[in-house]
Amino acid sequence: MAAKFLTLAACIRNESRDLSPRPHYPSMPKYPKGRFPSTDDEEKNIMAEGSESKALFSVTGMTCSACAGSVEKAIKRLPGIKEAVVDVLNNRAQVLFFPSFVNEQTICETIEDVGFQAAIIKEETNENSIQVCRITIKGMTCTSCSTTVESALQVIPGVAKAQVALATEEAEVHYDPKILNYNQLLEAVEDTGFEAILISTGEDRNKIQLKVDGIRTDNSMRIIVNSLEALPGVEGVEIEPELQKLSLSYKADVTGPRNFFQVIESTGSGRYKAKIFPEGGGREAHKQEEIKQYYKSFFWSLVFTIPVFLTSMVFMYIPGLKHGLDTKVVNMLTIGETLRWVLSTPVQFIIGWRFYTGSFKALRHGSPNMDVLIALGTNAAYFYSVYSVVRAASSPTFESTDFFETSSMLISFILLGKYLEVLAKGKTSEAIAKLMDLAPDTATLLTLDDEGNVANEEEIDSRLLQRNDVIKVLPGAKVACDGFVIWGQSHVNESMITGESRPVAKRKGDVVIGGTVNENGVLHVKVTKVGSESALSQIVRLVESAQMAKAPVQKFADRISKFFVPLVIFLSFSTWLAWFLAGKFNGYPKSWIPSSMDSFQLALQFGISVVVIACPCALGLATPTAVMVGTGVGASQGVLIKGGQALESAHKVNCIVFDKTGTLTTGKPVVVKTRLLKNMALREFYELVAAVEINSEHPLAKAIVEYAKKFREDEDSNVWPEVSEFESITGHGVKAIVRNKEVIVGNKSLMLENNIVIPIDAEEILAETEGLAQTGILVSIDHQLVGILAISDPLKPGAKEVISILNSMKIKTILVTGDNWGTAHAIAKEVGITTVIAEAKPEHKAEKVKELQGSSGIVAMVGDGINDSPALVAADVGMAIGAGTDIAIEAADIVLMKSNLEDVITAIDLSRSTFRRIRLNYVWALGYNLLGIPIAAGVLFPFTGFRLPPWIAGAAMAASSVSVVCCSLLLKNYKRPKKLDTLEIQGITVE
């Protein structure tokens, strides 16, 4: 996926280029300097010119983030540039631009003017051809079912990856739309014997579904479709005539839902009315329909089963009723047997028909499942009973014993278990439902006049908002979608998205996220992202994907499921045969046989009990339900875990590697001390230094410029002396001519390269600076060292306590940074880390992680910058600080949305809790089968006289699945370690 997919609740900024103080808000859009969206005429003119284009460039010669910053800055200076992102690791630049202002060749030449070689990558300028399709699959009962569907999807040409989750009853398929379409995927699922319902086709474009009332003929529908297809920005229209439903794919920056409504309603002169159709037919609606179906089936099975139970187990002990039920109808056939036969038949063949169809489909594909076991057990009981009563009806001497209550009660208890199971499984995905419910139903749309004043306001459905709309957010109301404030100030509660408990101040220019709550004050917000582009939608997709991904431990259940059902059938037949032969050849006393049956019937009951007590579902649900609840709990606490693999690896972590800048430190350097070695005014000194550094994108340069502004508060702080011959020396510093003086600003090695003498007292100041965990910057004017700047990147509050807690958890901590050794050691000493690796390039960080994996076991990497990406990928578990770069977030397995270091502990502790729950589920599921099957087979009967009737065995089987799901649901009560609460009590909060 594109890096923007995991922007999530992260501020899109490049740590190595822009660390100037500013709020860290999720999904902060980056805009070219001087081109921040506003309501001014220039912005309107550009947007009116037409749609934007995207181009990808290969940029060779970049060696560090400063180079990338230079390239990005040069591109953004061009007219018509909407966005430019430079990836120094892959030597690429991606640019969004308006073709009417600038073209690709001009951008290419601009990059070359900066000093790098550039070329357009034509074959990659198009969108990724792989799309993601999500499908609801109805009818799966165990891992055998999900494995069958998954295998069928994976062999289809054009499918890159397919995952089927039993717990969510969904499939996620990555496919090439040039080779096949989603209809073929649906057909493949249905060929395996299950019902397939499309949730989404997952294209990287906005989609909306509309229902049009008033259409009477096919021609009317065709006219509407043609009118919509003619609109600019509409990429496709699909129709479902029987539902009068339209599905439109469109470019959000060109058109939107309100335009579609207007076209539809104007096409028929007001005869046609459009409304938004429930999304995807309503995933929740499918779940509710399934719950309703199981409830209905269970209810009707009870209606028939209760009389069967009463006539066979209760009324037989009431003298008057017993006499009536024992009255003969034909030969030895009684009224009671006839009633039970009549009442149990609808339960067996109408209510229980789902088990016949399920077992037929499973056997057709050679993957027997739970339905096969249920069908075998109930059919054995039912048809033996039929044989018994038919023989009694045709014989004047044969006294029959029927098991009609066994088959009907079995089906009733199993339906009750399935009903409770789907109810419980619905609660495992509550995290997604709660996220989706965050978006408000309505929004107040503002119409602005040419001066930017509010001319009109109206309340509309929030799904009708379009990009560049302006909305009004009242105190206490939810923000309808992502955007930025153009008027007003307030505090916004973002806890529901980021997990940050404290309200965040918002004023003009600040970003707001859809679904958050405005606390106090009115805000006017310009919409930037709608529909699937919003941070909320991205988070929902991430959590959905996480819940689809299988944990490696799930392979255990998958392996068992391949032979579980055949083994149970074999054990069942063996049990019946053993007891039957033992009875035939007097292997046990006749007194063991109940008075109401013979040895064959006793053996049959033991065999049926073995079939119906075995439960493959409990094994199949043990892992996915726990992973679903665990990832949902993590999302609610601001820890986004990308699936079962990340969860499983995190619980085994015994070594964590921390980046320094932006991870252990705040990532916002500030000048803390200035030492002049020559007599000159500090104001003059900073005039020269800032004039040079203003041309650099390095975070240290920004810190110097910000500090220099303090000496000229009474003047225009954005204007500095002109410079010439500016040069950025990668990894060392900068130099230029200012007011006919050569000014060099950089580290010690840069001074030595330029033959500038460093006095002993300057060396001592540098050593003292590094000892205080500060970075020393040297300044020379006309080849004479005139000053030293001490720049500090403060530690994040609570960093020391977090490292201490990790050490107490027996987790080794290591600091890896590209900073100098002195500063690195000082920072490490301050937080309590003993192992330090300094002056490490990005590739060296990754190499060190691999070394640690060989010696220390499972290694996690915590970072936030582009230079951390290789290490995040190399680590067993990559954790990205939420306020870091989008590239780092894309590379990570776990995203800490609040940028809190304490969430590193939360992520590890949550994964440990989840896997304790998975182990408990497996112990329960395996223990249940290992103990239940022998008891059902009659192991205890010779010693205690205890046997398990088939209907009780069926109830126990149904209860096992429900118990596993409920055991996973207990994870919803997860509380983070009390040690972290102690940090808050002490007033330590991490920003």
Side-chain angles (χ1 to χ4, degrees):
M1 278 189 187
K4 66 180 180 181
F5 164 74
L6 287 173
T7 306
L8 306 173
C11 171
I12 301 183
R13 56 130 182 118
N14 188 325
E15 173 237 10
S16 52
R17 296 197 299 272
D18 184 5
L19 285 177
S20 57
R22 66 180 179 186
H24 285 188
Y25 299 131
S27 302
M28 172 81 79
K30 293 172 66 178
Y31 295 99
K33 188 174 181 180
R35 296 274 315 117
F36 196 91
S38 62
T39 55
D40 59 21
D41 293 338
E42 179 190 3
E43 176 68 19
K44 291 179 180 177
N45 291 338
I46 290 180
M47 295 303 293
E49 289 292 334
S51 62
E52 65 197 41
S53 294
K54 180 167 67 175
L56 191 66
F57 299 88
S58 169
V59 184
T60 55
M62 296 189 296
T63 57
C64 71
S65 56
C67 302
S70 300
V71 173
E72 184 174 315
K73 192 171 183 179
I75 295 172
K76 288 180 176 180
R77 284 173 175 165
L78 291 170
I81 300 295
K82 180 180 180 182
E83 174 67 289
V85 179
V86 181
D87 180 359
V88 68
L89 292 178
N90 296 309
N91 294 314
R92 294 184 180 183
Q94 183 172 283
V95 184
L96 292 176
F97 62 98
F98 296 98
S100 55
F101 285 81
V102 67
N103 56 39
E104 294 172 344
Q105 189 59 41
T106 303
I107 297 171
C108 208
E109 291 171 357
T110 301
I111 296 172
E112 291 175 346
D113 289 342
V114 182
F116 304 99
Q117 294 181 347
I120 302 170
I121 306 177
K122 291 186 179 296
E123 64 273 17
E124 295 191 32
T125 55
N126 295 326
E127 297 252 342
N128 194 330
S129 61
I130 296 297
Q131 291 181 2
V132 181
C133 176
R134 297 182 69 87
I135 304 168
T136 290
I137 301 173
K138 300 180 71 173
M140 295 192 299
T141 56
C142 63
T143 49
S144 178
C145 304
S146 59
T147 301
T148 300
V149 177
E150 190 169 278
S151 300
L153 289 170
Q154 286 174 338
V155 298
I156 301 174
V159 171
K161 184 173 73 170
Q163 290 180 313
V164 178
L166 174 64
T168 58
E169 296 183 332
E170 291 182 7
E172 183 177 272
V173 187
H174 297 243
Y175 70 102
D176 188 343
K178 297 176 183 175
I179 300 176
L180 75 160
N181 58 44
Y182 61 83
N183 286 320
Q184 292 170 274
L185 298 175
L186 296 177
E187 289 171 8
V189 173
E190 290 175 350
D191 285 344
T192 62
F194 302 98
E195 183 181 352
I197 302 169
L198 182 69
I199 297 175
S200 66
T201 53
E203 294 101 334
D204 289 328
R205 54 187 176 183
N206 283 274
K207 293 196 73 173
I208 190 169
Q209 295 177 324
L210 305 177
K211 180 175 176 58
V212 185
D213 294 328
I215 296 178
R216 295 182 177 85
T217 64
D218 291 341
N219 186 53
S220 299
M221 177 66 82
R222 191 159 45 249
I223 292 172
I224 291 174
V225 170
N226 291 339
S227 300
L228 290 170
E229 287 178 335
L231 283 177
V234 173
E235 297 185 330
V237 181
E238 298 174 6
I239 61 171
E240 293 183 40
E242 65 279 4
L243 296 177
Q244 295 186 340
K245 173 183 163 188
L246 300 172
S247 297
L248 291 95
S249 302
Y250 63 96
K251 294 180 179 178
D253 56 336
V254 179
T255 189
R258 293 202 306 280
N259 295 343
F260 307 149
F261 273 52
Q262 184 179 359
V263 167
I264 291 171
E265 292 174 4
S266 62
T267 298
S269 302
R271 187 170 69 250
Y272 308 129
K273 297 294 180 183
K275 59 183 178 182
I276 296 178
F277 197 84
E279 293 182 9
R283 177 187 309 180
E284 190 61 28
H286 295 312
K287 181 64 67 179
Q288 291 302 319
E289 180 62 27
E290 184 181 21
I291 292 172
K292 189 186 298 182
Q293 286 178 358
Y294 273 116
Y295 175 79
K296 185 178 178 181
S297 297
F298 172 63
F299 173 79
W300 282 108
S301 70
L302 276 186
V303 169
F304 291 98
T305 300
I306 289 176
V308 173
F309 173 77
L310 292 174
T311 57
S312 63
M313 304 244 177
V314 178
F315 295 164
M316 298 306 292
Y317 298 99
I318 301 175
L321 292 175
K322 183 179 187 304
H323 177 73
L325 292 172
D326 286 343
T327 302
K328 304 294 188 293
V329 178
V330 178
N331 288 328
M332 298 300 289
L333 177 65
T334 66
I335 290 176
E337 290 167 344
T338 305
L339 281 174
R340 288 192 289 273
W341 187 7
V342 170
L343 291 169
S344 63
T345 299
V347 178
Q348 183 70 33
F349 296 108
I350 299 176
I351 298 171
W353 184 251
R354 66 174 67 237
F355 302 118
Y356 285 98
T357 56
S359 56
F360 171 75
K361 293 169 183 175
L363 291 173
R364 191 180 67 179
H365 291 91
S367 56
N369 60 8
M370 191 193 75
D371 288 337
V372 174
L373 297 180
I374 296 170
L376 277 175
T378 57
N379 278 327
Y382 179 83
F383 284 107
Y384 174 78
S385 301
V386 170
Y387 158 77
S388 181
V389 297
V390 169
R391 185 176 173 186
S394 58
S395 170
T397 58
F398 179 79
E399 292 187 8
S400 68
T401 301
D402 65 86
F403 298 139
F404 285 122
E405 81 283 352
T406 295
S407 65
S408 57
M409 290 177 71
L410 260 176
I411 290 174
S412 296
F413 276 116
I414 289 164
L415 289 173
L416 172 62
K418 293 300 291 183
Y419 171 65
L420 295 175
E421 183 184 318
V422 294
L423 275 179
K425 283 186 347 189
K427 293 184 181 295
T428 61
S429 56
E430 276 185 353
I432 292 178
K434 286 180 179 178
L435 283 171
M436 296 179 74
D437 288 342
L438 289 177
D441 295 329
T442 60
T444 303
L445 178 67
L446 300 181
T447 304
L448 305 182
D449 58 24
D450 295 337
E451 285 76 35
N453 299 317
V454 177
N456 184 43
E457 63 179 68
E458 64 174 313
E459 189 170 303
I460 64 169
D461 189 316
S462 60
R463 293 173 294 180
L464 297 180
L465 288 174
Q466 300 177 186
R467 193 178 294 176
N468 297 312
D469 280 344
V470 176
I471 60 174
K472 179 182 179 180
V473 187
L474 296 171
K478 289 182 179 179
V479 180
C481 53
D482 295 4
F484 62 91
V485 179
I486 61 172
W487 179 87
Q489 59 183 26
S490 181
H491 285 78
V492 174
N493 184 349
E494 298 181 341
S495 60
M496 61 289 298
I497 302 292
T498 67
E500 174 58 63
S501 58
R502 295 173 300 170
V504 183
K506 301 290 183 181
R507 55 181 59 86
K508 185 176 180 180
D510 289 339
V511 167
V512 291
I513 314 164
T516 56
V517 178
N518 183 25
E519 297 261 319
N520 52 3
V522 179
L523 296 176
H524 290 181
V525 176
K526 187 168 186 179
V527 176
T528 56
K529 294 181 179 178
V530 293
S532 59
E533 300 175 327
S534 68
L536 184 59
S537 296
Q538 291 169 2
I539 293 172
V540 168
R541 283 202 299 274
L542 177 59
V543 177
E544 285 177 337
S545 297
Q547 294 184 345
M548 287 294 302
K550 289 183 179 179
V553 71
Q554 176 69 20
K555 294 176 183 176
F556 172 70
D558 292 343
R559 285 195 296 268
I560 292 178
S561 70
K562 292 179 181 178
F563 59 83
F564 185 89
V565 173
L567 177 62
V568 169
I569 295 172
F570 172 76
L571 289 175
S572 173
F573 178 78
S574 301
T575 299
W576 169 80
L577 186 62
W579 279 101
F580 174 70
L581 292 177
K584 193 78 172 173
F585 297 104
N586 300 315
Y588 58 83
K590 295 293 184 182
S591 60
W592 287 11
I593 304 175
S595 59
S596 60
M597 61 180 70
D598 57 23
S599 61
F600 175 83
Q601 294 167 338
L602 179 65
L604 181 63
Q605 282 215 346
F606 281 128
I608 293 173
S609 294
V610 170
V611 168
V612 297
I613 200 170
C615 185
C617 299
L619 279 171
L621 294 170
T623 297
T625 53
V627 169
M628 284 178 67
V629 178
T631 51
V633 169
S636 68
Q637 300 208 10
V639 178
L640 293 182
I641 304 170
K642 300 181 188 176
Q645 174 72 60
L647 259 179
E648 182 161 347
S649 299
H651 93 280
K652 297 183 286 187
V653 165
N654 49 27
C655 177
I656 299 182
V657 178
F658 287 93
D659 175 47
K660 181 179 76 69
T661 306
T663 303
L664 288 175
T665 65
T666 61
K668 294 182 283 189
V670 291
V671 177
V672 294
K673 185 183 290 185
T674 307
R675 296 288 293 273
L676 295 180
L677 304 178
K678 302 291 182 182
N679 289 324
M680 65 183 303
L682 204 57
R683 176 189 172 101
E684 181 186 354
F685 171 78
Y686 271 106
E687 283 280 315
L688 298 175
V689 174
V692 178
E693 292 286 20
I694 192 67
N695 296 283
S696 173
E697 287 289 327
H698 198 280
L700 296 182
K702 289 185 174 291
I704 293 171
V705 173
E706 286 298 318
Y707 187 76
K709 290 178 181 178
K710 297 179 180 179
F711 296 95
R712 52 189 312 181
E713 291 180 352
D714 55 331
E715 300 177 19
D716 184 357
S717 58
N718 294 323
V719 179
W720 300 96
E722 290 188 9
V723 301
S724 60
E725 300 179 26
F726 173 81
E727 182 181 356
S728 175
I729 300 94
T730 303
H732 296 283
V734 294
K735 61 181 180 179
I737 303 297
V738 186
R739 295 175 178 168
N740 297 320
K741 296 178 180 179
E742 184 185 48
V743 180
I744 302 177
V745 185
N747 57 19
K748 183 178 177 180
S749 59
L750 180 60
M751 299 301 158
L752 295 176
E753 285 178 9
N754 285 274
N755 300 317
I756 297 169
V757 177
I758 302 176
I760 295 176
D761 55 345
E763 295 273 12
E764 292 174 351
I765 294 171
L766 276 177
E768 178 187 346
T769 299
E770 291 180 358
L772 295 172
Q774 298 168 354
T775 302
I777 302 294
L778 305 178
V779 179
S780 77
I781 299 175
D782 288 338
H783 282 74
Q784 283 193 337
L785 195 65
V786 298
I788 301 174
L789 310 180
I791 299 180
S792 173
D793 188 1
L795 274 179
K796 284 186 175 178
K800 182 177 180 179
E801 288 75 11
V802 168
I803 298 299
S804 175
I805 293 172
L806 287 172
N807 291 336
S808 70
M809 294 169 67
K810 308 298 182 186
I811 296 176
K812 183 180 180 182
T813 53
I814 296 173
L815 175 63
V816 177
T817 178
D819 212 336
N820 64 73
W821 282 96
T823 302
H825 275 293
I827 289 288
K829 183 179 180 181
E830 191 172 348
V831 298
I833 295 177
T834 55
T835 307
V836 181
I837 300 160
E839 299 179 7
K841 294 181 179 179
E843 59 271 20
H844 294 157
K845 290 183 180 181
E847 290 169 7
K848 185 59 185 176
V849 166
K850 291 175 182 176
E851 289 176 17
L852 290 169
Q853 286 170 328
S855 59
S856 299
I858 306 300
V859 178
M861 170 72 193
V862 185
D864 76 322
I866 284 180
N867 59 346
D868 298 323
S869 300
L872 289 170
V873 172
D876 296 290
V877 182
M879 298 187 188
I881 295 294
T885 63
D886 49 348
I887 294 176
I889 292 169
E890 170 70 17
D893 302 300
I894 297 175
V895 181
L896 312 179
M897 295 170 62
K898 292 185 286 185
S899 299
N900 284 359
L901 275 180
E902 62 188 62
D903 283 342
V904 172
I905 299 170
T906 302
I908 293 173
D909 186 70
L910 175 59
S911 69
R912 290 180 177 180
S913 296
T914 302
F915 267 79
R916 281 196 295 269
R917 192 64 56 183
I918 289 173
R919 291 191 190 100
L920 184 60
N921 284 348
Y922 274 128
V923 168
W924 177 261
L926 284 172
Y928 164 84
N929 283 290
L930 292 175
L931 290 175
I933 291 175
I935 292 173
V939 170
L940 299 178
F941 186 64
F943 311 106
T944 64
F946 175 79
R947 64 186 177 88
L948 206 62
W951 63 273
I952 294 180
M957 185 272 283
S960 65
S961 295
V962 177
S963 61
V964 165
V965 177
C966 291
C967 185
S968 294
L969 281 173
L970 290 176
L971 261 178
K972 295 177 73 174
N973 300 322
Y974 169 81
K975 303 293 183 185
R976 64 182 194 163
K978 291 183 178 179
K979 295 176 182 178
L980 299 182
D981 296 330
T982 304
L983 293 186
E984 289 191 352
I985 292 171
Q986 294 172 347
I988 298 172
T989 54
V990 183
E991 297 177 354

